[in-house]
Amino acid sequence: MSLLETLNQDMKQAMKNKDKESLSVIRMIKASIQNESIKLGKDTLSEDEELTILSREVKQRKDSLQEFKSAGREDLVNKVETELSIVKKYMPEQLSKEELSKIVQETIQDVNATSKKDMGKVMSAVMPKVKGKADGSQIKEVVLQLLN
């Protein structure tokens, strides 16, 4: 089942349950997907493109969360945390630290990286492999750790 079909089913369920927060977030995700498909001139997006949109939605909410926490806006922090948990339901299962380290280690060997100077090569090779399954900052941290 595609992401759009899942979102439609969940949207109907949220309407039946009168779950306004879930409904609002699902509608935002659907709007982002539809806007992207219009921008790309396609009727349907690939799974990879949908994953990119979901990753963008998660990143936006994480950034907002940091801003609201630093501003001391607890009311908005709670709202964004709820939205973030709803969006994460549609993301693929995240890689554990060990799985991510293994992938990064293999990639370092594949691109023959030896120092921090090769970080760009490693990151550009790792990102497509773990797209949507790991956070960019987490990947950066593991790459730096293994290149030291």
Side-chain angles (χ1 to χ4, degrees), residues 80-141:
V80 172
E81 283 176 341
T82 305
E83 287 181 7
L84 190 58
S85 68
I86 294 168
V87 174
K88 282 185 174 182
K89 285 192 318 190
Y90 301 103
M91 293 288 290
E93 191 174 321
Q94 299 295 293
L95 293 171
S96 70
K97 193 97 168 170
E98 293 79 33
E99 292 170 320
L100 183 59
S101 292
K102 184 179 176 194
I103 292 170
V104 170
Q105 188 66 47
E106 290 170 1
T107 306
I108 287 172
Q109 290 172 351
D110 291 346
V111 298
N112 297 323
T114 55
S115 68
K116 284 185 180 180
K117 290 180 182 177
D118 299 320
M119 186 168 171
K121 277 198 290 188
V122 175
M123 288 294 287
S124 62
V126 169
M127 291 305 282
K129 293 179 184 178
V130 297
K131 187 171 192 153
K133 297 178 187 171
D135 185 49
S137 59
Q138 185 183 21
I139 297 167
K140 179 183 172 190
E141 184 183 307

Side-chain angles (χ1 to χ4, degrees), residues 15 17 20 31 33-34 50 59 63-64 72 76 83 85-86 93 100-101 116 128 130 146:
M15 284 179 191
N17 297 343
K20 291 181 181 178
I33 291 171
Q34 289 170 336
E50 290 175 342
K59 184 176 184 334
D63 291 345
S64 297
L76 295 174
E83 287 181 7
S85 68
I86 294 168
E93 191 174 321
L100 183 59
S101 292
K116 284 185 180 180
V130 297
L146 292 174

